[in-house]
Amino acid sequence: MAAVVRAAQAGDALAMDEVLTVVAPYVTRLCRPIALSNCEDAVQEALTAVFVGLRGLRDPQAFYGWVRIVTVREAVRVGRRTAVERTVDPEEFVGLPGPVGDGELSAQVRDVLARMPVHHRAVLVLRELEELDERRAAEILGVAPGTVKSRLHRARSAFRKAWQQ
């Protein structure tokens, strides 16, 4: 992938198309639980940011880590911009593959996530789905590791409480 990234950085339009095509599913997977019903907007914003910022990437070997940072930040930004904490109708997610195999459970998980603040969803995605440590999650979110730890604690607690209702 590093060779394709280098070619895209050099202005090769076909290479750029390949880069965006390859990362689109990953970007979507990250945006979906953070931006929820605004996932498409977050994906578009993230892919645009990748397109615009790719030339500034110093190490093509670090491409996926860089894409993760760009994507999470854009998903959080879109989530905050459009956030009115509300219960999301599970019908909004019909046809979207979820992190859990059972479609019914997936809709329930998504409904619980929808009731959480965007910064809690973001930290859950980074720790639980991406399996990043607190230090790395803090770097991506631009906050202190202690903030990630406290947000994660509150997010997990809120998730458990909402799940039991």
Side-chain angles (χ1 to χ4, degrees):
M1 186 68 181
V4 176
V5 169
R6 281 189 204 94
Q9 287 177 314
D12 183 335
L14 291 176
M16 180 61 82
D17 182 60
E18 183 175 346
V19 164
L20 294 175
T21 300
V22 167
V23 299
Y26 178 64
V27 167
T28 303
R29 186 176 73 87
L30 287 174
C31 288
R32 186 176 295 122
I34 297 171
L36 298 171
S37 60
N38 297 303
C39 176
E40 290 178 6
D41 291 341
V43 169
Q44 186 66 38
E45 295 288 334
L47 290 174
T48 300
V50 168
F51 178 82
V52 170
L54 189 61
R55 286 192 179 197
L57 178 64
R58 293 183 196 146
D59 180 8
Q61 298 292 339
F63 176 69
Y64 280 101
W66 175 75
V67 168
R68 180 189 303 133
I69 291 168
V70 168
T71 300
V72 170
R73 287 186 180 164
E74 290 300 320
V76 168
R77 190 178 61 74
V78 168
R80 282 187 180 141
R81 181 180 68 208
T82 59
V84 173
E85 303 306 332
R86 62 183 175 87
T87 301
V88 174
D89 181 358
E91 294 299 314
E92 290 184 43
F93 299 108
V94 171
L96 293 176
V100 181
D102 180 353
E104 178 65 26
L105 183 58
S106 179
Q108 291 171 347
V109 168
R110 291 170 193 273
D111 183 56
V112 170
L113 287 172
R115 290 182 267 152
M116 299 176 77
V118 68
H119 61 275
H120 284 175
R121 292 193 304 259
V123 78
L124 280 174
V125 166
L126 292 174
R127 291 286 286 144
E128 304 300 335
L129 295 179
E130 289 295 300
E131 299 178 349
L132 299 179
D133 62 22
E134 289 164 2
R135 182 191 58 75
R136 188 71 182 118
E139 289 173 7
I140 290 171
L141 295 172
V143 298
T147 302
V148 168
K149 192 172 187 172
S150 65
R151 283 183 185 174
L152 183 61
H153 175 74
R154 286 192 299 268
R156 285 176 175 163
S157 177
F159 189 93
R160 274 189 227 102
K161 183 178 177 182
W163 186 257
Q164 293 170 351
Q165 292 179 349

